[in-house]
Amino acid sequence: MIALDDTKLARVIGDFPILARPTSRGKRLVYLDSAATSQKPNAVIETLDTYYREYNANIHRGVYEIAARATDEFEGARAKVARFINAAPQEVIWTRNATEAINLVAYSWASNALHPGDVILTTELEHHSNLVPWQLVAQRTGATLRFIPVDARGELVLDDLDALLEGVKLLAITHVSNTLGTITPLERIIPRARAAGATILVDGAQGIPHLAVDVRALDADFYVFSGHKMLGPTGIGVLYGKRALLEAMPPFLAGGDMIRNVEYGRASFNDLPWKFEAGTSNIADAIALGTAVEYLQTLGMDWVRAHERDLLAYTLERLAPFESRGLAIYGPKDPSISSGVVSFNFADIHAHDLASILDTEGICIRAGHHCTMPLMDKMGWSATARASFYVYNTTADVDALVDGLEKAARVFKL
Ligand code: C6P
């Protein structure tokens, strides 16, 4: 169990300046919404500051000193991210976020590779970002969508997986559910999808911030994620793709930087990864994502996972007595198959009212459908309250959440 006097944890908390700022009501900030976006450590903030103060220049163009430094740092950050996921730098494409990375694959790969009658297999857990692009692909190509079902505990039902995989050209699956925290058993699913001949895309938006990811060991064809959920800035994300697939795909967006040669009537395209990076890139944020990755590596992803698992176990223990008072906790109640997310409803208090009461105590949670409307409909929930953890959370944050629930019970006379 986590000790609050853990010096490593204390050091981590000290790295996040926002956590030292009281709210306007004078409360300690208890940030339990890292699944929406994570807070940023000093190292990341300083990287952004240094770029703009010391070497702001466009990349791949200027020959002067600060432009060369900007290019080196930008490509250096790509190499750091590549090492973090065990990929080659050419296989790491900068995007704005996970959503844009999925859309890149939907337009560049799926629109060409899929045909009428082909099947896209996804799951009932997906975030809209890993569902709506495939609905549009199905409309464009005549492919159909099929779903791996989810059970009442929020776990995927794999009993009929081989039948579900028949005729499947694309498996698009989340690594971790943003609404329930479920870690999908990719190690069991991907080999069977591979044997069935499917191309595999993993939505890693909630996976890579919390779990060690080795894309080669995972054997996904595409793995996408957002920098802002893993201590990096907003506006920068990654599409990892296997080199042979990326080589064969046409460009998604066209313009500067992605070309080799242009004539008035035609153009040829740059090598990987730049073929997919049209226009001036998000230079500062890419460099700062490199710093975020280094920060996570210094902590150690095993420590990150163990810390969040302990915190989840502690949370479930502290929330258990509320269940007899009308608290419904959703998702797997087993920290070994769940990432740091707890979704719940408390008696008949609307999730938004609960979030507002917690806000008065400085506690930040998310309430609503979490961009998983089909999952909410299937489960029969109009909204849930969601607390999500990261490296800087402590048992004191969980205790604050519990005190906040007691306050809500008083306000609503439960
Ligand atoms: N989920 C949440 O509060 P972007 O917006 O592209 O950075 O991430 C999209 C996305 C894709 N997949 C999963 C599993 C996600 O959780 C998210 C973002 C946030 O749950 C914001 S809706």
Side-chain angles (χ1 to χ4, degrees):
M1 192 44 67
I2 303 153
L4 263 183
D5 59 356
D6 182 323
T7 48
K8 181 164 177 174
L9 185 53
R11 245 194 352 261
V12 170
I13 294 164
D15 286 337
F16 291 80
I18 200 168
L19 300 179
R21 282 178 61 84
T23 68
S24 64
R25 290 186 176 87
K27 305 285 182 181
R28 180 174 78 83
L29 186 73
V30 177
Y31 189 74
L32 296 175
D33 198 18
S34 293
T37 198
S38 65
Q39 296 302 343
K40 320 302 173 200
N42 279 317
V44 168
I45 298 166
E46 282 158 15
T47 298
L48 291 169
D49 189 73
T50 304
Y51 169 77
Y52 285 117
R53 285 181 194 281
E54 295 184 9
Y55 62 100
N56 171 46
N58 213 327
I59 49 168
H60 304 145
R61 291 161 172 81
V63 293
Y64 47 88
E65 184 182 305
I66 59 170
R69 180 170 171 203
T71 301
D72 285 352
E73 299 273 359
F74 179 80
E75 293 302 337
R78 191 194 309 274
K80 287 175 196 170
V81 170
R83 271 197 301 278
F84 189 57
I85 61 172
N86 193 24
Q90 296 85 350
E91 296 172 318
V92 171
I93 315 289
W94 296 124
T95 61
R96 276 190 306 144
N97 45 41
T99 303
E100 187 177 275
I102 293 170
N103 278 275
L104 194 164
V105 176
Y107 279 91
S108 177
W109 180 81
S111 292
N112 297 300
L114 300 187
H115 302 100
D118 288 344
V119 177
I120 301 168
L121 181 64
T122 181
T123 83
E124 290 181 341
L125 283 174
E126 301 306 315
H127 186 279
H128 298 162
S129 291
N130 198 29
L131 172 59
V132 182
W134 308 123
Q135 293 173 345
L136 296 183
V137 163
Q139 282 168 22
R140 281 199 297 277
T141 62
T144 54
L145 286 173
R146 197 181 281 163
F147 296 89
I148 302 177
V150 64
D151 66 16
R153 290 167 312 189
E155 291 176 46
L156 293 180
V157 181
L158 300 179
D159 302 347
D160 297 327
L161 184 61
D162 289 327
L164 285 169
L165 278 166
E166 255 167 56
V168 168
K169 286 280 163 55
L170 172 69
L171 169 69
I173 182 169
T174 194
H175 196 171
V176 172
S177 159
N178 65 314
T179 299
L180 299 175
T182 318
I183 301 172
T184 59
L186 294 179
E187 65 295 338
R188 280 162 56 204
I189 298 172
I190 288 179
R192 285 158 76 179
R194 176 74 57 218
T199 295
I200 298 149
L201 177 140
V202 176
D203 174 357
Q206 303 287 353
I208 196 164
H210 309 282
L211 306 167
V213 171
D214 176 332
V215 287
R216 288 202 186 128
L218 206 55
D219 193 29
D221 295 296
F222 300 108
Y223 190 97
V224 306
F225 51 98
S226 291
H228 69 94
K229 294 188 199 288
M230 53 191 293
L231 310 181
T234 50
I236 189 75
V238 167
L239 166 65
Y240 155 80
K242 281 188 180 165
R243 191 174 183 152
L245 268 169
L246 293 173
E247 295 277 12
M249 284 159 53
F252 172 42
L253 300 174
D257 231 22
M258 51 75 73
I259 50 83
R260 179 184 310 287
N261 186 52
V262 183
E263 299 163 27
Y264 279 116
R266 48 189 283 177
S268 59
F269 305 119
N270 207 338
D271 293 331
L272 290 176
W274 308 292
K275 179 173 89 173
F276 292 107
E277 294 178 359
T280 297
S281 292
N282 187 350
I283 304 164
D285 294 323
I287 296 170
L289 178 54
T291 305
V293 159
E294 279 180 328
Y295 185 89
L296 284 171
Q297 273 171 324
T298 306
L299 291 184
M301 290 309 291
D302 289 345
W303 182 85
V304 172
R305 172 71 183 130
H307 174 65
E308 292 178 13
R309 212 177 33 216
D310 287 354
L311 215 44
L312 187 58
Y314 181 74
T315 307
L316 293 172
E317 193 184 303
R318 293 278 348 247
L319 291 183
F322 284 83
E323 292 190 83
S324 58
R325 297 164 63 189
L327 186 84
I329 302 172
Y330 311 123
K333 287 189 191 155
D334 174 356
S336 72
I337 54 164
S338 186
S339 188
V341 171
V342 185
S343 237
F344 55 92
N345 272 310
F346 192 13
D348 54 3
I349 308 174
H350 193 279
H352 283 117
D353 292 336
L354 199 51
S356 298
I357 290 172
L358 293 175
D359 175 50
T360 63
E361 296 299 315
I363 303 163
C364 313
I365 63 158
R366 182 171 173 187
H369 55 62
H370 315 296
C371 300
T372 53
M373 289 171 86
L375 175 67
M376 306 294 288
D377 283 348
K378 165 158 177 147
M379 297 296 203
W381 310 322
S382 58
T384 76
R386 183 189 71 179
S388 52
F389 306 115
Y390 209 8
V391 293
Y392 34 70
N393 288 119
T394 65
T395 51
D397 295 339
V398 177
D399 294 343
L401 175 67
V402 168
D403 291 346
L405 291 180
E406 288 292 5
K407 179 175 179 182
R410 283 195 301 277
V411 171
F412 281 86
K413 304 195 181 356
L414 293 181

